[in-house]
Amino acid sequence: EIDLGNIDLNLNLTIDDGARINADLDAARHNYVTTEGSGNMYLAYTGESGINVTGHYTMRDGEFKLSLPVIPLKTLNISDGSAVRWTGALLDPTLDITALERTTSSVTFDDNSTQPVPFDVGVKVTGTLERMGLSFIMQSPENPIVQEQLNALDTESMNRYAVTMLLTGTYAGSSRNMTVSN
């Protein structure tokens, strides 16, 4: 906790577009976020209430280098519009960050035609820093037939398929309309 004594402080911070922010997520600096974006923050400090922050930082692009227990170190691209918002405690902002990698797999459809299909696969980080939620996502924005199949997955299946895609570059299974292999 920070104690500045009898000082009252009000600070308005404008983060110009293109400002780069780097944050190490572990001591070894293997996991990190580096991003470019813009935002506004208002910081108020009083001896009675401490530091209070309101504002946002919206990301335009960047990298999210991440390793999880079952997933090797991956570099994911932060999606435009991802954001960090403050409504109180400086160290407990609300997160809305999507980070993806592009992967292409060969898809065989019911008519036995095969075509390469690009997938965007990665993570979505939501919630507050203290109560962070992490989910895995997979999309096929360039192929509406494949995307329709992905839309039909429940959350558990989506997580399983996305983790498998991140690990192996292949689809976790097949549906009645398609099969996917790397």
Side-chain angles (χ1 to χ4, degrees):
E1 183 172 302
I2 299 172
D3 183 4
L4 299 176
N6 291 329
I7 296 175
D8 286 349
L9 174 69
N10 292 303
L11 176 68
N12 190 26
L13 177 65
T14 300
I15 304 167
D16 289 337
D17 190 34
R20 191 160 240 3
I21 294 178
N22 300 306
D24 292 326
L25 304 177
D26 63 5
R29 297 182 172 173
H30 295 296
N31 294 279
Y32 64 84
V33 174
T34 180
T35 183
E36 198 171 295
S38 61
N40 290 299
M41 294 173 63
Y42 177 75
L43 183 137
Y45 172 85
T46 65
E48 294 174 6
S49 62
I51 297 176
N52 199 359
V53 180
T54 57
H56 72 280
Y57 176 75
T58 303
M59 301 168 202
R60 192 165 29 93
D61 66 12
E63 288 183 353
F64 189 15
K65 192 105 174 188
L66 172 74
S67 68
L68 294 171
V70 297
I71 298 175
L73 195 61
K74 287 280 188 183
T75 302
L76 305 174
N77 297 309
I78 294 175
S79 298
D80 186 18
S82 293
V84 179
R85 291 178 182 78
W86 288 266
T87 57
L90 174 65
L91 298 179
D92 198 28
T94 299
L95 308 170
D96 183 10
I97 302 170
T98 301
L100 304 167
E101 85 170 347
R102 176 58 60 107
T103 247
T104 300
S105 288
S106 180
V107 177
T108 303
F109 295 90
D110 279 347
D111 64 1
N112 287 328
S113 66
T114 301
Q115 64 180 328
V117 175
F119 291 90
D120 292 329
V121 61
V123 296
K124 182 156 184 75
V125 181
T126 56
T128 65
L129 201 53
E130 289 181 8
R131 294 188 179 162
M132 191 182 319
L134 178 71
S135 59
F136 295 91
I137 55 177
M138 186 166 54
Q139 306 163 344
S140 182
E142 296 171 22
N143 190 304
I145 295 169
V146 175
Q147 185 60 50
E148 183 179 326
Q149 294 295 319
L150 293 172
N151 290 343
L153 296 175
D154 61 31
T155 302
E156 183 180 324
S157 296
M158 176 60 74
N159 284 337
R160 186 174 65 245
Y161 287 15
V163 167
T164 301
M165 182 75 80
L166 285 168
L167 282 169
T168 66
T170 59
Y171 199 59
S174 63
S175 73
R176 64 173 197 255
N177 294 326
M178 66 181 181
T179 58
V180 182
S181 63
N182 199 6

